[in-house]
Amino acid sequence: MATEYEKRYLLFNAPPVKGVDPIIIKQGYLSTNPAKAVRIRMTPQVSELTIKGLRIAGEAPEFNYPVLRDEAEHLMAMCGDDALTKDRYKIPGHDTKIWELDIFTGRHKGLVIAELEMNKGDTFLKPVWLNGAIDITEDNRFSNVVLATTPMAIINGWIAEYRSLGQKVILTP
């Protein structure tokens, strides 16, 4: 079985990204059940269908299948409003790992999440630009499938919960 393991962080300011072009991502959900989400993702280069299980302790079953562009566009249309858009920057870490920095656009503008996919048990060095970020690996409210169906006003409420725990939160405008 294919399994994804990742660490995820909520950032309150997007770090400067120089010399790295973003990958423009649009993804929609045909099934928004976090325990068995079905996603279509389109970038300018690739379209794929993903079936993903519930993330527990950073780990989730995940299966990816390539999809022809015209089929992907039809599937995306079926998703309606259960979609999100983001600019993804792949940033090398201090070790050999590559961080994915997602700067959300559209109705989730201002949300910034960093992810690091790795093997379970791997160690990693946090880049300096993650100082002050909140580890949301265990918080499934910030999974993309939940974000796609949730207005920013509600997401800002979740962020306020972190603020009430003593975290200073400033979203990028």
Side-chain angles (χ1 to χ4, degrees), residues 16 18-19 74 76 107 109 112-113 142 148 153 156 160 163 168:
K18 296 177 182 173
H74 287 290
M76 189 65 72
R107 63 190 174 102
K109 185 176 178 158
V112 181
I113 295 178
F142 288 92
N156 283 330
R163 181 183 296 135
K168 184 177 179 184

Side-chain angles (χ1 to χ4, degrees), residues 157-173:
W158 300 338
I159 293 169
E161 288 177 25
Y162 284 117
R163 181 183 296 135
S164 71
L165 297 173
Q167 300 290 338
K168 184 177 179 184
V169 177
I170 303 169
L171 276 177
T172 304

Side-chain angles (χ1 to χ4, degrees), residues 130-146:
L130 270 182
N131 288 344
I134 302 295
D135 185 339
I136 56 170
T137 302
E138 303 279 335
D139 192 341
N140 283 322
R141 296 176 300 177
F142 288 92
S143 68
N144 283 314
V145 64
V146 173

Side-chain angles (χ1 to χ4, degrees), residues 6-155:
E6 65 185 6
K7 292 291 286 181
R8 302 182 80 232
Y9 293 88
L10 176 66
L11 283 79
F12 306 119
N13 291 299
V17 183
K18 296 177 182 173
V20 180
D21 291 328
I23 300 167
I24 310 302
I25 295 175
K26 181 174 184 181
Q27 60 191 48
Y29 291 85
L30 298 159
S31 167
T32 57
N33 180 337
K36 51 186 171 185
V38 179
R39 170 187 81 200
I40 185 73
R41 175 182 280 170
M42 298 173 67
T43 71
Q45 296 79 25
V46 178
S47 300
E48 67 182 4
L49 184 74
T50 300
I51 302 165
K52 196 169 192 175
L54 185 64
R55 180 178 321 286
I56 299 173
E59 190 172 22
E62 181 177 303
F63 305 89
N64 297 296
Y65 305 96
V67 176
L68 297 173
R69 189 65 174 198
D70 62 334
E71 292 174 357
E73 289 172 358
H74 287 290
L75 290 169
M76 189 65 72
M78 291 171 61
C79 297
D81 291 336
D82 294 337
L84 52 84
T85 56
K86 56 189 174 180
D87 294 343
R88 172 167 286 170
Y89 296 86
K90 293 192 178 252
I91 303 172
H94 298 298
D95 42 25
T96 59
K97 296 182 176 41
I98 302 294
W99 286 86
E100 294 178 340
L101 177 69
D102 290 340
I103 300 177
F104 288 75
T105 58
R107 63 190 174 102
H108 294 93
K109 185 176 178 158
L111 189 59
V112 181
I113 295 178
E115 300 178 352
L116 178 64
E117 290 188 16
M118 58 189 167
N119 295 317
K120 190 171 185 173
D122 279 0
T123 59
F124 63 94
L125 298 171
K126 282 173 57 175
V128 173
W129 52 264
L130 270 182
N131 288 344
I134 302 295
D135 185 339
I136 56 170
T137 302
E138 303 279 335
D139 192 341
N140 283 322
R141 296 176 300 177
F142 288 92
S143 68
N144 283 314
V145 64
V146 173
L147 294 174
T149 60
T150 305
M152 264 317 278
I154 293 172
I155 296 166

